[in-house]
Amino acid sequence: MSTISAAGTRACTLVGMPELPEVTALAAFLTEHATGQRIVAVNVASLNVLSTYDPPPSALVGRIVRGAGRYGKFLDLVIAPSLESDPAEDLHLLIHLARAGWLRWSDSISAVPPKMGGPIALRVRLANGGFDITEAGTKKLVAAAIVRDPNEVPGVARLGPDALSLDRDSLGQILKGQTGRLKNVITNQTVIAGIGNAYSDEILHTAKLSPFATAGKLTTVELDRLSTALISVLTAAVDRSVGAEEARLKGEKRTGLRVHARTGLPCPVCGDVIAEVSFADRSFQYCPTCQTGGRHLADRRMSRLVK
Ligand SMILES: [Zn+2]
């Protein structure tokens, strides 16, 4: 969802996948606004959005929202028979917002169920307000599941340790022996949960590391920088996102990014021009001076066109 101007810069209204900071913000918003509320209706308005059928959506109606949480990039709405009931009886509505999904809260949500096949995939109506899970574009990738245990969802069961739970030594342990490129390894949800394309760009830029560095071969000093950057970038983004009440926004804006989605713009640290590596359906950004000793990384798409 970006256009490249004649000057090669990118006018960006990028709809990126919500990552750890945004999903944390959505969970915090729901915890604040939905906890203690009774579910009045659950409308499924997309054929493929729900990956489970037992318990059915109707099983949520009449129950109470106990709170909301996050597993990696999955949002978890915890729904109890009553606030006093045993948590073992809770049901979980797990939502993965994928590339173009978002959660939009409304204080006065419509009682009319959304149209099938439209931009709203799922609506949860509460006694006061409620939310829609929306998805822009034609590729329908947003996924929801209603389960008794979050680990029934394969994507949750496979998650590695949460990014924010990693201190320097545990990060070192995780990366040890990894032969993949650093960018790929830290965005692999089975290795580390919560980091995607945008925040990995930011973390690697702050850590002054090449996205193509071999993950298992970082020096002690590089590992120190990566660990510090990982926590500081994500923590700052969580603080910004939670403050922004993102569930009231349309969600297409991220603030505070220094390198991601800024191809052609100056690096805020050194002033060099931010470069990009493009693939068929995505791209990532980096600063040559800060991260790769001034070298430009091979752009797969361009080299394929040249061949
Ligand atoms: Zn730079």
Side-chain angles (χ1 to χ4, degrees), residues 144-157:
I146 300 169
V147 291
R148 295 175 182 86
D149 177 347
N151 279 309
E152 290 173 44
V153 177
V156 171

Side-chain angles (χ1 to χ4, degrees), residues 23 26 37 51 73 82 87 98 100 102 119 127 133 138 157 165 195 241 246 252 259 301:
V23 181
L26 293 175
Q37 286 219 54
S51 64
K73 296 187 264 188
S82 76
W102 196 246
I133 301 297
T138 49
S165 76
I195 302 171
S241 303
E246 302 214 1
E252 63 269 283
V259 61
R301 185 175 60 182

Side-chain angles (χ1 to χ4, degrees), residues 1 31 85 143 173 221 225 245 259-260 267 276:
M1 256 100 12
T31 297
S85 60
Q173 281 302 318
V221 183
R225 290 209 306 270
E245 291 219 320
V259 61
H260 182 72
C267 168
E276 152 177 308

Side-chain angles (χ1 to χ4, degrees), residues 23-305:
V23 181
T24 300
L26 293 175
F29 186 97
L30 286 180
T31 297
E32 186 185 338
H33 291 84
T35 299
Q37 286 219 54
R38 188 171 297 279
I39 294 183
V40 174
V42 177
N43 304 124
V44 177
S46 160
L47 281 180
N48 300 318
V49 69
L50 202 61
S51 64
T52 54
Y53 57 91
D54 177 34
S58 58
L60 303 179
V61 175
R63 285 184 162 231
I64 306 288
V65 175
R66 192 192 289 282
R70 176 183 65 76
Y71 294 89
K73 296 187 264 188
F74 288 82
L75 180 66
D76 177 24
L77 190 70
V78 186
I79 300 151
S82 76
L83 286 181
E84 295 75 36
S85 60
D86 184 343
E89 294 174 55
D90 288 353
L91 294 177
H92 299 260
L93 172 61
L94 282 145
I95 299 160
H96 190 265
L97 293 166
R99 292 283 288 272
W102 196 246
L103 180 149
R104 204 166 55 205
W105 174 270
S106 170
D107 292 325
S108 54
I109 199 149
S110 170
V112 180
K115 266 199 317 230
M116 285 298 290
I120 297 169
L122 184 73
R123 170 170 292 167
V124 175
R125 195 150 58 87
L126 305 170
N128 286 302
F131 61 86
D132 288 330
I133 301 297
T134 64
E135 185 165 29
T138 49
K139 271 192 191 166
K140 298 301 180 192
L141 301 170
V142 167
I146 300 169
V147 291
R148 295 175 182 86
D149 177 347
N151 279 309
E152 290 173 44
V153 177
V156 171
R158 280 196 299 265
L159 289 173
D162 195 74
L164 279 180
S165 76
L166 294 174
D167 61 18
R168 188 234 180 248
D169 288 345
S170 37
L171 180 64
Q173 281 302 318
I174 281 171
L175 297 183
K176 206 169 152 184
Q178 293 278 356
T179 56
R181 287 170 166 172
L182 191 51
K183 166 94 181 172
N184 292 342
V185 170
I186 67 171
T187 53
N188 180 340
Q189 300 303 296
T190 67
V191 178
I192 300 174
I195 302 171
N197 194 25
Y199 290 102
S200 58
D201 279 356
E202 297 299 303
I203 290 165
L204 294 175
H205 178 255
T206 300
K208 297 193 185 300
L209 291 171
S210 168
F212 284 180
T214 302
K217 291 192 170 165
L218 298 185
T219 65
T220 306
V221 183
E222 288 171 337
L223 184 59
D224 288 344
R225 290 209 306 270
L226 180 63
S227 173
T228 306
L230 189 150
I231 299 297
S232 67
V233 165
L234 291 178
T235 305
V238 166
D239 291 347
R240 283 196 307 272
S241 303
V242 170
E245 291 219 320
E246 302 214 1
R248 292 192 191 276
L249 308 175
K250 281 192 175 170
E252 63 269 283
K253 287 213 181 77
R254 275 196 177 101
T255 55
L257 300 188
R258 305 199 303 177
V259 61
H260 182 72
R262 300 189 72 243
T263 306
L265 295 171
C267 168
V269 173
C270 72
D272 192 3
V273 178
I274 303 284
E276 152 177 308
V277 175
S278 301
F279 301 90
D281 60 342
R282 70 204 157 89
S283 63
F284 72 79
Q285 287 77 30
Y286 65 100
C287 170
T289 296
C290 289
Q291 295 177 256
T292 57
R295 281 180 301 112
H296 279 251
L297 301 173
D299 186 319
R300 294 261 181 91
R301 185 175 60 182
M302 293 311 289
S303 23
R304 198 170 61 232
L305 288 176

